[in-house]
Amino acid sequence: MTRLAVSLGSGLLVVKITAGVWWNWFREPYTLADAPKVDVKVRAEESTYPDVQETTEDVDTLVRVYVQRLKGGDANGIAELAGPAYKQPGPTAAKYVREYGQAAGGPVDVTVLEGSVGYFNSVTVAYRRTGQRQDLLLVKDDGHWWIGLGDGDPAAGS
């Protein structure tokens, strides 16, 4: 084997390891599906603190996936959005589908509220079709945002 072949092989190994680390640690563990389509506007509460806008950008995908799964009646998919410290999120997810599933079929406005700590944040979900409002607690764990569903104490750690 030539030095060039060894160098190329080593370089490819480094690229594969780096891609694997990114894929497993940095990509979001949930993604928006192609269907059903949802009409969701996510905005930050008016605030003098710039971190509210930053949090809004961070949680945007999570709340869109949540509304999409609500609209699709996917309680199991919603349960997968539960924070790691929460146990048995299924009953809460099923309750949310019953209460808000049809409302998620219309326009939805999500307001990210000013949080007091960096790993908890509340959002208000307003369903324009029905006039319903829902308050959700979002929890940041291992670099990703999750929804507080089921029983758990995220402050105690996972």
Side-chain angles (χ1 to χ4, degrees), residues 37-143:
K37 299 287 185 203
V38 291
D39 180 6
V40 181
K41 291 186 177 123
V42 184
R43 66 173 185 83
E45 172 183 49
E46 284 192 34
S47 174
T48 57
Y49 299 102
D51 58 336
V52 180
Q53 184 59 44
E54 291 170 20
T55 301
T56 301
E57 293 167 11
D58 288 347
V59 304
D60 184 87
T61 299
L62 173 62
V63 295
R64 288 176 190 281
V65 169
Y66 171 72
V67 172
Q68 185 179 58
R69 292 180 183 179
L70 266 181
K71 182 178 179 179
D74 184 5
N76 290 334
I78 291 172
E80 292 172 358
L81 301 176
Y86 288 86
K87 306 300 177 219
Q88 301 194 3
T92 303
K95 175 184 168 201
Y96 288 172
V97 168
R98 284 191 309 275
E99 290 181 11
Y100 305 106
Q102 285 189 328
V108 178
D109 297 316
V110 177
T111 304
V112 178
L113 307 177
E114 191 174 287
S116 56
V117 294
Y119 48 89
F120 291 135
N121 218 96
S122 294
V123 298
T124 300
V125 184
Y127 303 94
R128 283 195 259 157
R129 172 183 271 181
T130 62
Q132 291 172 284
R133 296 177 68 79
Q134 179 183 25
D135 294 321
L136 293 174
L137 174 65
L138 305 184
V139 180
K140 192 169 191 176
D141 190 288
D142 284 336

